[in-house]
Amino acid sequence: NAGVTQTPKFQVLKTGQSMTLQCAQDMNHEYMSWYRQDPGMGLRLIHYSVGAGITDQGEVPNGYNVSRSTTEDFPLRLLSAAPSQTSVYFCASSYGGGLAGVDEQFFGPGTRLTVL
Amino acid sequence: AQSVTQPDIHITVSEGASLELRCNYSYGATPYLFWYVQSPGQGLQLLLKYFSGDTLVQGIKGFEAEFKRSQSSFNLRKPSVHWSDAAEYFCAVPNFGNEKLTFGTGTRLTIIP
């Protein structure tokens, strides 16, 4: 099993550009989520999904879109990048659909994004 | 909403010394609690979790944590640290009907020879 994979590992964007961060898991997990990590702020939840076709907002959803058409994939879209979105982005998955907070979360290696 | 506080931003420990990282939670009932570790350049990995029962929980890599209701704490301990333990450590608690996980701000651990 590859676990949770994320692409790209690094990305530099200009303000206003759009892009999609890819996340895939091969563990047949129902729950997937996106976090951003900023110094001194820990990890903050952006969006999450409890199963294919179901998504919901986390703490900091503004400026990001998600969709979940398959169990395996959960892409994160930046519609118009801003310098405030410079961060490290982590995708995570866990087995339970409705009890994500009590299952072990499996994290990808992260994407380091810089917006100029 | 439930939350966790990690009061120490950065801790430096000598190799072979003991370690205690602090985590305080804010919730009246017995919470579920987690400790995750992030090695440099990596994603997070679960160290241990507490759901109920025995208040001393054993985890991977020789770590343990003790749940203390009277102090609202879930501190992480290791009797003797190794250079490979240098990492950032996050305490976490579920929220919103257990659909979400809320992380603390993390404690960065530096190991000196």
Side-chain angles (χ1 to χ4, degrees):
Chain A
N1 284 351
V4 180
T5 58
Q6 292 184 238
T7 56
K9 289 192 175 183
F10 301 94
Q11 183 70 48
V12 179
L13 292 178
K14 294 182 180 178
T15 297
Q17 287 185 314
S18 62
M19 79 159 297
T20 299
L21 307 185
Q22 301 292 345
C23 174
Q25 53 89 12
D26 61 359
M27 298 173 281
N28 202 32
H29 284 171
E30 290 294 325
Y31 183 92
M32 296 186 74
S33 56
W34 277 101
Y35 293 89
R36 59 177 289 172
Q37 183 179 29
D38 302 292
M41 305 193 74
L43 278 79
R44 292 180 292 169
L45 184 64
I46 304 172
H47 286 285
Y48 68 101
S49 168
V50 298
I54 306 169
T55 64
D56 207 344
Q57 296 181 351
E59 301 172 70
V60 288
N62 293 341
Y64 308 95
N65 274 1
V66 292
S67 59
R68 183 99 178 267
S69 55
T70 67
T71 299
E72 295 78 20
D73 300 299
F74 191 45
L76 178 72
R77 297 181 186 86
L78 282 69
L79 304 176
S80 177
S84 61
Q85 294 178 303
T86 294
S87 187
V88 181
Y89 291 85
F90 289 98
C91 180
S93 73
S94 65
Y95 176 75
L99 293 175
V102 301
D103 284 333
E104 177 178 359
Q105 300 280 307
F106 293 84
F107 284 80
T111 294
R112 185 173 294 275
L113 175 68
T114 302
V115 182
L116 303 175
Chain B
Q2 301 178 66
S3 64
V4 287
T5 302
Q6 295 180 250
D8 303 307
I9 297 173
H10 184 204
I11 285 182
T12 300
V13 177
S14 298
E15 190 168 14
S18 64
L19 170 71
E20 183 167 20
L21 302 182
R22 296 185 289 166
C23 172
N24 297 106
Y25 66 89
S26 62
Y27 190 64
T30 300
Y32 298 157
L33 290 160
F34 301 81
W35 274 101
Y36 280 82
V37 60
Q38 183 182 27
S39 298
Q42 305 292 317
L44 278 72
Q45 179 185 22
L46 180 67
L47 276 178
L48 49 81
K49 59 186 178 184
Y50 171 76
F51 283 178
S52 65
D54 194 346
T55 56
L56 186 63
V57 181
Q58 301 297 321
I60 62 172
K61 306 185 181 188
F63 285 92
E64 65 179 26
E66 187 171 11
F67 173 72
K68 292 186 177 179
R69 182 191 300 278
S70 61
Q71 299 176 17
S72 297
S73 69
F74 187 56
N75 293 350
L76 182 70
R77 302 194 297 241
K78 188 169 185 178
S80 176
V81 297
H82 185 261
W83 64 266
S84 59
D85 294 324
E88 190 150 19
Y89 292 81
F90 294 92
C91 186
V93 65
N95 252 312
F96 303 104
N98 294 332
E99 276 201 347
K100 305 176 187 180
L101 200 58
T102 297
F103 288 87
T105 51
T107 298
R108 185 161 60 93
L109 176 64
T110 297
I111 308 294
I112 57 176

